[in-house]
């Protein structure tokens, strides 16, 4: 089996499979200490990285330029590696079941190019047991090697928070598990080289898999509670954020807020756990109830907008013109994966076709390819009947009440719906706006 010394002396390389939001920062960090191969199946992505372009913006240009990573779309280069780290997406399908095609494909590719003695470490978020039940058989099938004798596996779940420049790979404790104590120790020493916060050695791969999937399930449930509270307080005519600010003065009150729950983690990972739970005969009730609430919030925002338009006497709903600020799944990132802003837009278009969307961070080509949405420049936000601030990008903070009022049709009382609680409520009300926030 490969040793840490083999990696440290650069006798063998570390390969990172999948150079997205997780894989690229990891490859760049590891390249400061080891020989690193960065592999991705998308040749366009490889070409961009070779020229110093990272469309995810997770790695600073200076760090990307200084990184000594051998970027390649040639899978045979994986044969040079002593450790292969798999960091591919694990999405869900249209039926909210795990879509294992990326991790299955990666396992097959790695298996077909697996050198004896290699450790394969998975970072993709999965349900407990998937590494050993799904990935290992594929690695064996495509390599002709036996796991535990000819090659070994480990698991170290990613904890990347897109757009977060404080909680980064280096500053978040890394959970590491291995097929054997020796495998775990080799991986732990490798990760400890780049993770300043240290490493937590889990007792088994299943423990590490379960730890990852419940991190986001816990957050999902807490946000679901806030969303349900916002539904209740809305009917009572109480401002939810004012309630949370008051409750937050108690030292042990958790600071969660209502909102849309999208992205590649919080809105997805719970379904991996519930899928496995159903498989073993347990029907999860609390987790799925939280998911139902969070998945319904886009529709709630859109329906609230329509009701407020009617009360605001904007004219025929079918002729209303609605602006939506923000499309990415969270603020200040270009990540459009599993954004739930699309739920608002789809529901609004059931009532009126004129819905404009603006996002300074989103890639227009990706928005069109993934969702069929054409992004509009902010200059086209004119003669609006309502404006929905869906994502709190920092660019929107400079929109003064006067600038917002100029977006609306003349003679119409301006109506603003603030999903993330970014706007200054008192300022807008003082300027004669009709205002609502989740």
């Amino acid at each position: 089996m490969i040793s840490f010394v083999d990696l440290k002396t650069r006798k063998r390389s570390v390969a990172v499979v999948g150079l997205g939001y997780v894989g690229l920062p990891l490859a760049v960090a590891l390249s400061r200490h080891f020989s690193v191969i960065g592999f991705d199946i998308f040749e366009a992505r490889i070409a961009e990285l070779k020229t110093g372009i990272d469309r995810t913006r997770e790695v600073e240009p200076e760090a990307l330029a200084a990184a000594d990573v051998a970027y390649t779309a040639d899978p045979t280069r994986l044969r040079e590696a002593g450790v292969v780290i798999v960091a591919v997406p694990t999405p869900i399908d249209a039926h909210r079941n795990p879509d294992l095609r990326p991790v299955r494909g990666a396992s097959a590719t790695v298996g077909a190019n697996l050198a004896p003695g290699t450790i394969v470490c998975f970072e993709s978020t999965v349900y407990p047991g998937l590494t050993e039940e799904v990935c290992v058989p594929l690695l064996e099938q495509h390599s002709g090697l036996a796991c535990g004798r000819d090659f070994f596996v480990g698991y170290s779940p990613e904890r990347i928070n897109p757009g977060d420049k404080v909680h980064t790979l280096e500053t978040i404790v890394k959970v590491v598990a291995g097929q054997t104590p020796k495998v775990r120790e080799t991986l732990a020493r490798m990760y400890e080289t780049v993770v300043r916060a240290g490493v937590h050695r889990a007792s088994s791969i299943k423990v590490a898999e379960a730890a990852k999937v419940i991190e986001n399930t816990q957050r999902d449930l807490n946000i679901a509670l806030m969303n349900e509270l916002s539904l209740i307080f809305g009917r009572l005519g109480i401002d939810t954020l004012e309630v949370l600010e008051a409750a937050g003065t108690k030292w042990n009150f958790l600071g969660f807020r209502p909102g849309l729950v999208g992205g590649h983690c919080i809105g997805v990972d719970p379904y991996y756990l519930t899928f496995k739970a159903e498989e073993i005969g347990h029907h999860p009730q609390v987790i799925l109830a939280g998911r139902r609430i969070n998945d319904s919030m886009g529709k709630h925002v859109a329906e609230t907008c329509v009701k407020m338009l009617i009360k605001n006497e904007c004219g025929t709903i079918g002729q209303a013109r609605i602006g939506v600020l923000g499309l990415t799944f969270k603020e200040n990132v270009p990540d459009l994966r599993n954004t739930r802003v699309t739920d608002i837009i789809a529901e609004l278009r059931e009532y009126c076709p004129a819905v404009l969307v603006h996002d300074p961070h989103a890639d227009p080509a990706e928005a069109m390819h993934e969702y069929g949405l054409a992004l509009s420049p902010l200059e086209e936000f004119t003669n609006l009947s309502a404006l929905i601030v869906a994502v709190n990008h920092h660019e929107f903070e400079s929109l003064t009440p006067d600038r917002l009022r100029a977006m609306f049709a003349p003679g119409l009382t301006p109506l603003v719906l603030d999903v993330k609680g970014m706007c200054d409520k008192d300022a807008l009300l003082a300027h004669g706006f009709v205002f609502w926030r989740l």
Side-chain angles (χ1 to χ4, degrees):
M1 186 185 76
I2 191 73
S3 69
F4 176 73
V5 174
D6 292 330
L7 301 177
K8 193 64 179 175
T9 59
R10 301 178 184 258
K11 181 180 178 181
R12 297 287 294 277
S13 299
V14 178
V16 178
V17 175
L19 299 175
Y21 287 84
V22 173
L24 181 62
L26 179 62
V28 169
L30 289 170
S31 71
R32 302 185 187 109
H33 307 276
F34 309 103
S35 174
V36 174
I37 298 166
F39 172 79
D40 201 289
I41 61 173
F42 296 106
E43 294 186 359
R45 173 69 168 160
I46 295 299
E48 287 181 348
L49 292 174
K50 285 182 176 180
T51 58
I53 298 173
D54 171 29
R55 61 175 58 244
T56 70
R57 302 207 300 263
E58 285 301 303
V59 177
E60 297 296 332
E62 299 79 12
L64 188 60
D68 186 14
V69 178
Y71 300 111
T72 182
D74 178 7
T76 63
R77 292 291 307 275
L78 300 178
R79 299 171 188 174
E80 304 169 22
V83 172
V84 177
I85 301 172
V86 179
V88 297
T90 43
I92 54 175
D93 62 21
H95 304 288
R96 297 189 174 95
N97 291 319
D99 181 356
L100 301 181
R101 288 176 296 176
V103 75
R104 284 180 179 274
S107 297
T109 298
V110 171
N113 297 278
L114 191 61
T118 300
I119 298 173
V120 182
C121 183
F122 291 85
E123 289 214 0
S124 305
T125 302
V126 295
Y127 55 73
L130 188 144
T131 298
E132 292 156 299
E133 296 166 10
V134 176
C135 300
V136 166
L138 286 168
L139 291 169
E140 290 184 322
Q141 175 189 341
H142 290 274
S143 67
L145 303 175
C147 185
R149 185 192 68 194
D150 303 320
F151 73 92
F152 305 86
V153 294
Y155 186 78
S156 182
E158 60 87 7
R159 283 176 162 173
I160 294 295
N161 183 27
D164 191 336
K165 301 305 180 183
V166 176
H167 303 99
T168 62
L169 170 68
E170 293 85 353
T171 63
I172 304 172
V173 173
K174 200 84 165 75
V175 175
V176 177
Q179 182 176 7
T180 67
K182 188 175 180 180
V183 171
R184 180 181 62 190
E185 193 58 30
T186 298
L187 291 173
R189 292 186 67 187
M190 179 192 71
Y191 281 116
E192 282 175 333
T193 306
V194 298
V195 180
R196 298 192 303 272
V199 165
H200 175 86
R201 290 162 171 80
S203 62
S204 70
I205 289 175
K206 285 185 179 179
V207 166
E209 291 170 325
K212 169 57 183 178
V213 80
I214 71 164
E215 290 174 14
N216 288 324
T217 300
Q218 182 188 67
R219 286 183 55 77
D220 192 45
L221 285 170
N222 276 291
I223 298 170
L225 173 60
M226 298 301 108
N227 278 332
E228 187 159 47
L229 291 175
S230 74
L231 298 176
I232 296 170
F233 294 147
R235 293 194 174 195
L236 292 173
I238 303 172
D239 188 300
T240 304
L241 293 191
E242 291 183 12
V243 174
L244 295 178
E245 287 170 359
T249 59
K250 189 167 187 276
W251 80 93
N252 60 352
F253 187 82
L254 302 179
F256 288 91
R257 294 288 185 93
L260 305 177
V261 183
H264 188 60
C265 294
I266 300 178
V268 172
D269 294 353
Y271 288 121
Y272 274 73
L273 184 57
T274 57
F275 173 85
K276 188 63 176 180
E278 296 275 10
E279 187 180 78
I280 60 174
H282 175 75
H283 179 67
Q285 299 182 55
V286 174
I287 298 172
L288 288 177
R291 282 278 76 235
R292 285 192 295 271
I293 291 170
N294 287 341
D295 281 346
S296 71
M297 294 311 291
K299 186 174 188 291
H300 170 65
V301 172
E303 289 178 344
T304 300
C305 180
V306 171
K307 291 175 182 178
M308 294 185 74
L309 281 169
I310 294 171
K311 290 182 180 179
N312 204 32
E313 299 180 348
C314 71
T316 306
I317 291 295
Q319 296 177 346
R321 184 175 165 88
I322 303 172
V324 176
L325 292 178
L327 181 61
T328 60
F329 92 91
K330 65 178 289 188
E331 66 277 5
N332 306 321
V333 299
D335 196 346
L336 287 171
R337 294 176 299 172
N338 194 38
T339 174
R340 304 286 20 120
V341 179
T342 54
D343 296 344
I344 299 176
I345 298 166
E347 188 69 20
L348 286 174
R349 286 183 170 169
E350 292 287 324
Y351 298 92
C352 60
V355 179
L356 287 73
V357 185
H358 171 73
D359 194 305
H361 292 268
D363 180 352
E366 185 180 357
M368 177 57 69
H369 180 267
E370 294 297 326
Y371 303 108
L373 291 173
L375 298 183
S376 301
L378 198 58
E379 292 73 24
E380 292 184 6
F381 276 49
T382 58
N383 294 312
L384 297 182
S385 308
L387 177 70
I388 299 176
V389 183
V391 185
N392 54 334
H393 290 317
H394 63 76
E395 287 87 349
F396 301 153
E397 295 173 1
S398 61
L399 294 174
T400 63
D402 288 339
R403 177 69 182 88
L404 291 173
R405 180 179 286 276
M407 297 180 182
F408 287 84
L412 190 67
T413 302
L415 167 59
V416 171
L417 294 91
D418 184 5
V419 175
K420 296 290 288 184
M422 184 190 79
C423 299
D424 186 334
K425 173 184 175 181
D426 293 335
L428 291 181
L429 292 177
H431 281 76
F433 283 69
V434 175
F435 180 78
W436 175 90
R437 64 185 178 191
L438 193 58

